[in-house]
Amino acid sequence: MVDLTTQTLEVETARSRRPYRQMAARFMRHRLAVVGAVVLILMALIVIAAPWFLPYRYDQQDFTILGVPTPPSAEHWLGTDELGRDALTRLVYGGRVSLGVGLLGAIISTLVGTAIGSVAGFYRGIWDMLLMRFTDVMLSIPTLPLVLLLSTLFRPSPGLLIVIVGGLIWMGTARLVRSQFLALREREYVEAARALGAAGPRLILRHILPNALGPITVAATLAVGTSIMLESGLSFLGFGILPPVPTWGNILNSASGWLSIAPWLAIPPGLCIFFTVLAVNFVGEGLRDAMEPRG
């Protein structure tokens, strides 16, 4: 009897794991998504381990070479800027800020969008009308000018910039989650749970939200790229995080005045932004194909 029970549990566990294995297999077949995931993991490991392998601080200056940037050398692999600071060190530490803002901003936007979309889609009626009209108003406001205004009023620290970015890119997630909830709330298992006395919050959190995690995960992944681009644009324009704290955007801003004689200062941060956003988009496409297979 014990053996039969054990075998039954093993069979049920294997069945529950099968969908995840199938999703992982579909994701691994998406070669660009796998490459994107590897690129992101390598970047994350590099910026996390920066203090242990970089010989300089990001604000450390060599006063013997002040005035103009110096080209790459054995001592400074990407050269130095006009203040005598190692460009590679600032690039890696800038990745810490840019990737951190991208990730945490995407998490905030996903949480806000999921909360608003789930309430609107589940309760419908007056809640749906109010929340979706508010979402439409936010969508009608150009994001970059609004962020520029907020950055002017409140000179952002990294934490404040994360809140600003995350609080202004949640609208697409809210509309996506609402559409998912409108469809899922009519399913038989939701009706059965409602007949058994389950209240609204329990229906949302236990029965509907888990079945909408696929599209939400894809939206959250793509929001990382949006957050990175927004932070980089703000810092490049001088409205984001200010030096000496490096970000890829303000490194580009500082290097723009030396493009004619020191292009090696601008190319690495530009390539980092480009390949990071491209990798995030590839991972998002791979997750979408893995969680929502077509045909």
Side-chain angles (χ1 to χ4, degrees):
M1 186 67 179
V2 175
D3 292 339
L4 289 175
T5 303
T6 303
Q7 291 176 359
T8 302
L9 289 174
E10 291 176 351
V11 170
E12 293 297 327
T13 302
R15 287 178 178 175
S16 65
R17 291 176 178 173
R18 190 174 303 165
Y20 298 101
R21 291 177 178 174
Q22 292 174 349
M23 285 190 293
R26 287 194 292 266
F27 182 83
M28 295 301 294
R29 286 196 294 268
H30 198 298
R31 294 182 180 178
L32 289 177
V34 174
V35 172
V38 171
V39 169
L40 293 177
I41 291 172
L42 288 177
M43 283 189 172
L45 291 176
I46 290 172
V47 301
I48 290 172
W52 288 277
F53 72 88
L54 290 175
Y56 307 103
R57 301 188 311 273
Y58 68 82
D59 57 351
Q60 183 175 340
Q61 295 178 266
D62 186 347
F63 294 101
T64 64
I65 51 176
L66 291 177
V68 294
T70 60
S73 63
E75 187 177 358
H76 302 284
W77 290 3
L78 294 181
T80 62
D81 62 11
E82 72 279 8
L83 297 178
R85 298 174 299 190
D86 183 68
L88 177 60
T89 301
R90 291 185 61 78
L91 180 71
V92 174
Y93 275 93
R96 274 189 159 192
V97 178
S98 295
L99 293 176
V101 170
L103 179 61
L104 296 177
I107 290 174
I108 290 176
S109 71
T110 301
L111 292 176
V112 173
T114 299
I116 291 176
S118 59
V119 171
F122 181 81
Y123 289 105
R124 298 188 297 185
I126 186 66
W127 284 107
D128 186 23
M129 183 185 70
L130 291 175
L131 291 174
M132 286 301 102
R133 294 301 76 75
F134 174 64
T135 302
D136 292 339
V137 169
M138 293 297 295
L139 281 171
S140 68
I141 302 174
T143 302
L144 186 57
L146 180 58
V147 176
L148 289 176
L149 175 62
L150 293 175
S151 299
T152 303
L153 295 175
F154 310 100
R155 181 57 64 186
S157 62
L160 181 57
L161 187 60
I162 289 170
V163 174
I164 292 175
V165 170
L168 293 177
I169 62 171
W170 53 265
M171 293 77 74
T173 302
R175 299 180 75 172
L176 174 66
V177 173
R178 173 183 176 269
S179 66
Q180 291 290 313
F181 268 67
L182 286 174
L184 293 174
R185 73 185 303 275
E186 306 298 335
R187 296 290 179 87
E188 291 81 1
Y189 61 87
V190 178
E191 294 295 334
R194 185 181 287 111
L196 292 173
R202 182 179 178 84
L203 290 173
I204 291 173
L205 297 175
R206 293 291 300 275
H207 299 282
I208 302 180
L209 187 59
N211 291 284
L213 285 180
I216 293 173
T217 302
V218 176
T221 303
L222 298 177
V224 174
T226 303
S227 299
I228 292 174
M229 287 294 294
L230 193 54
E231 183 279 323
S232 299
L234 283 173
S235 296
F236 178 77
L237 294 173
F239 291 91
I241 298 170
L242 295 177
V245 177
T247 74
W248 289 339
N250 66 31
I251 292 174
L252 272 175
N253 184 20
S254 299
S256 61
W258 302 96
L259 282 176
S260 60
I261 63 172
W264 58 84
L265 293 179
I267 293 174
L271 289 177
C272 284
I273 295 171
F274 173 77
F275 283 116
T276 300
V277 175
L278 191 64
V280 167
N281 287 335
F282 283 150
V283 171
E285 290 181 5
L287 289 173
R288 181 185 61 197
D289 293 343
M291 295 181 176
E292 302 175 3
R294 303 179 180 87

